Structure formats: C-alpha cells, structure tokens
C-alpha cells in the first residue's frame, strides 16, 4: 500500500513500536498478533501489568519466531510508545486516557473506540456527552496527544485469524496530517489498506459503522469488513 510511508521531511514512518491501551482485550490481541508478525514491536497495556504480561507471553508462544518484541505492562507504559491505540470499551475510554495523558503528550493516539449500546434489536450508536465523537472525547482527555480515529470496522476475529489474508479497507480521519500518515502506515502494516476520509469531525460516522458491521455479522454469521469501490490501486 503506497499511502504515504514517509512524513513531509521524507522520514520513514512505519512504526517500530506500538502501544495498545486495553491491549489484553479482543481487539488488542488481534492487533498484536498481526503487528508482531509484521515485525512491529507491541506493548500491551492494561490496568494490571501482570495480566498484560501473561497475555503477551501467550501470544508470543503462538508465534515465537518474530524479531519484534511483544510485552505487557501498565497502560501508562504502553502510552509512552510513539504510536498508541485506544482499544478500550467506550464507557471506560475517557478515564483511562485521561489517566495517561502525560505519557501520551506528543504521541499519535489512534482511537478504535466506538460508543455503542446494545438492546434486544442489537447494537446501536449512542450519543457522546460533551463531544462530537468518542475520538473527540479522547482528544479532550489527552489534549497534547495527536488523535486519529480508525480501525472501527476491522473485526478482532479477522485480525486474530492470522492464517488468512485481510482485504479490508480501513477508513481513518484526523486533523493532523503527520499523525494521520503515521497511523496509516501502522494500519497498513496490519495487512489492510488505510483510506483517509478527512478531518476528525467525521469520526462519529466511522464509529457508528461498528454497529452496522456487528449487525451484519450477527445476521449473516460472518466477520465482515468493508471495502470501498473506485479507489485507485
Ligand atoms: N472487538 C472488535 O472486533 C472491535 C472492532 C472495532 C472496534 N472495537 C472497539 O475497540 C474497543 C475495544 O473493544 P474490545 O472488543 O477489544 O473490548 P474488550 O475486549 O471488552 O476490552 C478491552 C480491554 O479494555 C480494558 N477494560 C475493560 N474494562 C475497563 C475499565 N473499567 N477501565 C479500564 N480498562 C478497561 C480491559 O483491559 P484490562 O482489564 O487488562 O485493563 C480489556 O481487556 C471498543 O471501544 C470497541 O468498540 C472493537
């Protein structure tokens, strides 16, 4: 994928190291599996560093041969990686990010968080109090982080099925072009195609798509992703 792999100064930006807040969860483990196989080192963050270390050891045992490291630690340690993914349920995402706002300063924070509620009819997007989206809420909680929204439509099951190639497109948005380029390079390393959609004000629409995908998955008993038509190769 030839989306920008260098910043405006021509420096390569494929990340050597990613931290994942809530990295012990379903999405975090799926991302860690793919990134480590691609040679990207990962720090799984958790409220409980010991739990994260155990999760990391289990994932390493699945695929011992990568040259990249995979470790578990506190969310604060994971937040000091150059690029950090927020992979926490919406209800707890703001407080978790606020707690690590200091190490997140200057970092790219890629929010996969979708504000969802579930009832008898299935999942639906919920309004975010005090912000236009979950990503905007996190930007307020960590004002010096460079927030990008993305990964909302990639299922953890597909990420974790590492014997299969991914053909997803991953829509992303943000207000900082360098941060978007760094996040896109990290997303490309997962084996999916990043597609930048525009500014962070579009994040609520991307976040709502998680509910649409879960609806599709429940009805059709699949792990669907999305692909756009009409893009140049
Ligand atoms: N799963 C998917 O396929 C998928 C796809 C796209 C987007 N997303 C979004 O990604 C986010 C994570 O989804 P997930 O399915 O990975 O969630 P999950 O497995 O339910 O939880 C992820 C992690 O969040 C942490 N966590 C749970 N409760 C917490 C609390 N009270 N305070 C702080 N941390 C807490 C836990 O880590 P510790 O207990 O180790 O701290 C947990 O392992 C969600 O916002 C979801 O909408 C998920």
């Amino acid at each position: 994928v030839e989306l920008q792999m260098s910043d405006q100064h021509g420096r390569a930006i494929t990340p050597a190291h990613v931290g994942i807040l809530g990295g012990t969860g379903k999405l975090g483990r799926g991302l860690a599996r793919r990134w480590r196989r691609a040679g990207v080192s990962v720090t799984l963050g958790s409220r409980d560093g010991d739990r994260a270390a155990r999760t990391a050891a289990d994932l390493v045992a699945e695929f011992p041969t990568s040259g990249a490291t995979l470790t578990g630690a506190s969310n604060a340690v994971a937040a000091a990686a150059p690029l950090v993914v927020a992979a926490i349920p919406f209800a707890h995402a703001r407080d978790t990010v606020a707690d690590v706002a200091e190490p997140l300063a200057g970092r790219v924070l890629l929010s996969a968080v979708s504000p969802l509620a579930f009832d008898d009819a299935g999942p639906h997007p919920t309004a975010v109090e005090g912000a236009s989206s979950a990503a905007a809420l996190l930007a307020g909680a960590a004002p010096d982080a460079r927030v990008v929204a993305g990964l909302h439509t990639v299922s953890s099951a597909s990420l974790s099925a590492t014997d299969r190639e991914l053909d997803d497109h991953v829509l992303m948005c943000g207000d900082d072009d360098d941060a978007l380029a760094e996040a896109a390079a990290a997303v490309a390393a997962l084996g999916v195609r990043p597609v930048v959609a525009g500014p962070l004000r579009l994040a609520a629409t991307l976040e709502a798509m998680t509910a649409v995908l879960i609806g599709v998955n429940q009805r059709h008993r699949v792990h669907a992703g999305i692909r756009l038509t009409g893009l140049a190769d």
Side-chain angles (χ1 to χ4, degrees):
V1 176
E2 279 310 312
L3 201 113
Q4 235 178 309
M5 291 304 199
S6 57
D7 67 12
Q8 60 193 7
H9 311 292
R11 291 177 299 223
I13 51 171
T14 301
H17 183 196
V18 173
I20 306 177
L21 306 178
T24 58
K26 294 180 284 293
L27 181 62
R29 294 194 308 270
L31 293 170
R33 285 184 169 103
R34 293 275 172 179
W35 268 323
R36 186 155 171 279
R37 280 164 176 75
V40 176
S41 290
V42 177
T43 302
L44 300 179
S46 171
R47 288 168 293 179
D48 177 346
D50 290 338
R51 175 166 54 237
R54 286 195 297 277
T55 303
D58 289 347
L59 295 177
V60 167
E62 275 178 19
F63 185 69
T65 55
S66 168
T69 62
L70 171 54
T71 54
S74 64
N75 281 322
V77 168
L83 189 137
V84 182
V85 179
I88 301 159
F90 171 68
H92 313 297
R94 186 207 0 216
D95 289 352
T96 302
V97 165
D99 282 348
V100 297
E102 213 170 291
L104 277 176
R107 313 300 189 211
V108 177
L109 178 62
L110 173 56
S111 173
V113 176
S114 297
L116 299 180
F118 292 80
D119 61 19
D120 289 348
H124 57 98
T126 54
V128 176
E129 227 180 277
S132 63
S133 65
L137 190 72
L138 300 191
D144 296 323
R146 301 148 70 209
V147 175
V148 171
L151 292 174
H152 311 91
T153 59
V154 185
S155 91
S156 56
S158 303
L159 287 166
S160 284
T162 51
D163 55 329
R164 269 174 263 152
E165 301 256 310
L166 298 172
D167 57 0
D168 297 56
H169 290 170
V170 172
L171 289 163
M172 310 177 64
C173 64
D175 294 335
D176 173 329
D177 284 347
D178 279 349
L180 268 173
E182 289 175 47
V187 164
L190 295 166
V192 297
R193 177 171 177 173
V195 180
V196 174
L200 199 67
R201 67 184 183 192
L202 299 178
T205 306
L206 301 191
E207 292 166 5
M209 287 171 69
T210 304
V212 175
L213 261 292
I214 295 172
V216 169
N217 291 344
Q218 289 180 340
R219 276 165 194 270
H220 299 270
R221 297 180 193 283
V222 291
H223 298 293
I226 64 153
R227 279 177 70 80
L228 304 180
T229 61
L231 290 176
D233 286 340

